Amino acid sequence: MKVRARWMRGGTSKCWVFDAADLRETGFSADSALPRIFGSPDLRQLDGVGGATSTTSKALIVEPGGIADADVSYTFAQVGIEEATVDWGSNCGNCSAAVGLFALENGWVPMTAGVTEVRTLNMNTGQVIIQTIPTPEARLPEDPQDSIPGTVFTGHGVELGFVAPEGKTTGAVLPAGEAVSAFRAADGRRVRASLVDAGAPLVMVDAESFGLMPEEYAMWADLIADRLPELDRIRRAAAVTMRLVEAPEEAERAIPKIGLVSAAVEAGSDVQVLMLSMGRPHPAMPITGSVGVTVAARTPGTTVAECLRGPVGAELRIRIPVGVMSTSTVERPEGRTVGIRRTARTLADAQLLVPDRQIERAAALLTAGAAS
C-alpha cells in the first residue's frame, strides 16, 4: 500500500503531514496505521519514517475548511516510539507552524501581496490559530531567510496567534481552582506547581522547591536526569487534580505537559524554563507550553508570575536551552491572543510504502486490547 505524505519542519519539530482524504483511503484507522508507518514499537523506529525522538515522531492530519470559519482544520498525533500507540490528547505548537505553509503550497488558501493569513483550527483542542506568513508579490519566497532559536537553517516565517487559549481542555485557566498546588517529592520536600490550562494543560513546577537553583539553569537537564520518574509522578498526580483522568496511571504520556521555572538570572530574559517532552528534557520549548507560560505570567499568584521582577508587558522573554524566545500578547475582537514567531519548511514529498498486512494485524491487536 502507498500513502502520500509530506515531510515538514515546523519550528523545532519535524512531522509527517497527511491529507485526511489520503489517510482515509487506506481503509485503516490512524491509530493502527500511524505506528506501523512510523516503525513503532522500536526505540530506533528502524522500519518506519519516525525519527526516534519525541520531537520527530509526530504527524499532522489536515484538510481544507472546517468549523469556526477555518481555512484549514488539522489533528495532531504524537506517535509512540517504544509503544505502538498514538496520543491524541494535545496539540503541538511547533508542528502547527507547518499547517499554514502546507495550505499555501497546496493552493488551499489564495496568497496576498505582503503577508497571507491562514486561519487554522486544531481539532485536538478546538484552538483557533491564526498563522501569518510572508508572501511578497503574493507568492512564497524561493529562499526564505527567517530564523528562530533552536534551528540551524532558515525557513518561511510563521507568526502563530493563539486566539483566546485559556481553558480549552478543562474549561478553566486554573483547573485546580487555585494558583499553586503542592506535591511531595521523593525526599518528602513540598514541591510547588501551578496547574494551567492554556495552549495545553501544563504543570509549571517552581524549580527552587524542587531543589534547583536559578543560577544552575545551564545544568538543570543534567541535574534532573535521575529524577525524571519523580517529575512524571508529579505530572500524573497533577493530571488527576486537573480532572483529566481519574487515576495517575491513566495519564497520557504527552498530557499534561510539565516544566520547571525560575526567575531569570541573565539580562535579556524575564523567566527561565526547562520543559519536558514525553518524559525527557525538551531541547528547546513546546510552543503550546510557551502559550501556557505566557498566560501564567499574567495570572497572579502562579509560579511563573512569582518569578517576574515587575509587571509583564506585551512581550514576555523566556530563556530556554537554546536561547531566548519571545511571545507577545495582543487583544483581538475574538479575544486575547498569544503570538509566537516560528519558521517552517517542506523537506520532502513522499509515497510511503506500508505493508498493509502488518497494519491489519496491528488493527486486530488494538481491537482485541479494547475488548479486554
Side-chain angles (χ1 to χ4, degrees):
M1 178 178 64
K2 295 181 180 180
V3 183
R4 288 194 309 166
R6 185 170 297 171
W7 200 20
M8 302 185 74
R9 176 180 66 77
T12 54
S13 292
K14 284 196 294 189
C15 52
W16 284 93
V17 186
F18 299 85
D19 188 318
D22 292 335
L23 211 52
R24 281 194 292 266
E25 285 182 4
T26 68
F28 297 104
S29 72
D31 281 291
S32 56
L34 288 177
R36 184 62 195 91
I37 290 171
F38 276 66
S40 305
D42 178 3
L43 279 170
R44 303 161 299 169
Q45 291 184 320
L46 184 63
D47 203 67
V49 299
T53 69
S54 66
T55 55
T56 57
S57 188
K58 300 181 175 186
L60 296 170
I61 303 171
V62 302
E63 54 190 327
I67 60 176
D69 298 322
D71 297 311
V72 186
S73 56
Y74 72 100
T75 304
F76 168 70
Q78 180 75 57
V79 182
I81 299 172
E82 301 172 51
E83 306 92 12
T85 58
V86 181
D87 188 342
W88 305 100
S90 70
N91 183 27
C92 169
N94 276 297
C95 279
S96 294
V99 175
L101 179 60
F102 183 90
L104 295 186
E105 290 180 337
N106 278 17
W108 291 357
V109 178
M111 289 182 252
T112 57
V115 297
T116 300
E117 280 195 359
V118 183
R119 188 179 181 91
T120 65
L121 173 66
N122 173 247
M123 300 300 289
N124 306 76
T125 61
Q127 175 70 63
V128 172
I129 306 173
I130 298 174
Q131 306 197 18
T132 306
I133 302 172
T135 50
E137 300 179 354
R139 61 186 179 186
L140 290 165
E142 293 183 2
D143 184 23
Q145 291 296 310
D146 285 83
S147 63
I148 56 171
T151 63
V152 175
F153 299 106
T154 59
H156 296 278
V158 184
E159 182 74 24
L160 300 174
F162 288 73
V163 180
E166 302 89 349
K168 293 296 185 185
T169 302
T170 65
V173 178
L174 300 175
E178 55 189 1
V180 175
S181 299
F183 300 89
R184 288 292 172 189
D187 60 3
R189 79 171 74 202
R190 179 175 176 269
V191 177
R192 304 171 67 253
S194 291
L195 313 186
V196 180
D197 179 8
L202 187 65
V203 183
M204 290 310 302
V205 174
D206 169 54
E208 291 193 63
S209 73
F210 194 67
L212 300 172
M213 297 297 102
E215 58 272 17
E216 298 174 327
Y217 176 74
M219 300 170 56
W220 280 6
D222 293 329
L223 292 172
I224 66 170
D226 295 332
R227 302 181 69 185
L228 294 175
E230 187 177 350
L231 282 168
D232 194 58
R233 285 192 294 272
I234 292 173
R235 187 187 70 82
R236 290 177 179 274
V240 176
T241 303
M242 300 172 90
R243 299 181 180 84
L244 296 171
V245 293
E246 293 185 359
E249 61 271 16
E250 296 173 1
E252 296 180 351
R253 291 287 303 274
I255 289 297
K257 298 182 185 299
I258 189 167
L260 297 150
V261 63
S262 80
V265 296
E266 295 184 14
S269 55
D270 301 307
V271 295
Q272 50 193 29
V273 171
L274 175 66
M275 294 296 299
L276 273 64
S277 175
M278 301 291 281
R280 297 288 184 268
H282 195 289
M285 178 75 163
I287 295 307
T288 49
S290 71
V291 173
V293 168
T294 302
V295 171
R298 298 175 178 278
T299 304
T302 66
T303 54
V304 180
E306 289 175 343
C307 294
L308 301 173
R309 295 184 174 85
V312 62
E315 180 186 30
L316 180 69
R317 301 166 299 174
I318 307 170
R319 180 163 295 281
I320 59 176
V322 292
V324 176
M325 70 177 299
S326 296
T327 65
S328 61
T329 304
V330 298
E331 297 296 332
R332 294 177 63 109
E334 307 98 317
R336 182 167 61 177
T337 299
V338 177
I340 303 99
R341 191 174 65 84
R342 297 282 85 189
T343 61
R345 194 174 78 83
T346 291
L347 306 176
D349 278 313
Q351 291 275 4
L352 305 183
L353 305 178
V354 186
D356 50 342
R357 292 290 180 87
Q358 294 183 15
I359 294 180
E360 288 174 359
R361 290 197 291 271
L365 289 172
L366 282 170
T367 301
S372 62

